[in-house]
Amino acid sequence: MKKLVLALVGVTLAVPAASAASIVNRDEETHTITVTENGDQARLSVSKDETVQFCNDGCFVTMPNGDREVLTGSETIEIEQGRGRIR
């Protein structure tokens, strides 16, 4: 039993923490998305060729064209031609 507990602790420590979602803007102009995380809403502006990390523990996102998505916090969103696409 003691070996099992030690093995589980070792595996738990070896698993990396979940990373944040990221967004990259491939367009020439700055785009803004709306992020709702833990009940708090914020607007996030992303300039040309900029990559921004956000959404550590899951969130709702409204893309530049109005599409809405639910994120777990591990996705990458690419903005191209004014639309956000999850990769």
Side-chain angles (χ1 to χ4, degrees):
M1 180 68 167
K2 186 176 180 180
K3 287 182 182 181
L4 177 61
V5 171
L6 289 175
L8 288 174
V9 169
V11 169
T12 302
L13 293 176
V15 175
S19 61
S22 61
I23 186 165
V24 60
N25 184 1
R26 306 254 187 243
D27 280 350
E28 294 294 317
E29 62 188 73
T30 298
H31 287 286
T32 302
I33 63 169
T34 302
V35 179
T36 305
E37 187 172 10
N38 298 322
D40 296 321
Q41 193 174 65
R43 295 176 59 83
L44 179 64
S45 293
V46 186
S47 302
K48 174 188 173 194
D49 294 327
E50 181 180 22
T51 300
V52 178
Q53 299 270 323
F54 69 103
C55 189
N56 294 322
D57 298 316
C59 60
F60 297 94
V61 177
T62 304
M63 305 290 186
N65 65 340
D67 288 350
R68 295 180 182 166
E69 297 289 340
V70 176
L71 304 180
T72 62
S74 61
E75 299 86 352
T76 298
I77 298 172
E78 292 182 358
I79 298 176
E80 295 178 300
Q81 300 177 352
R83 296 189 62 134
R85 292 184 180 91
I86 298 175
R87 304 276 182 209

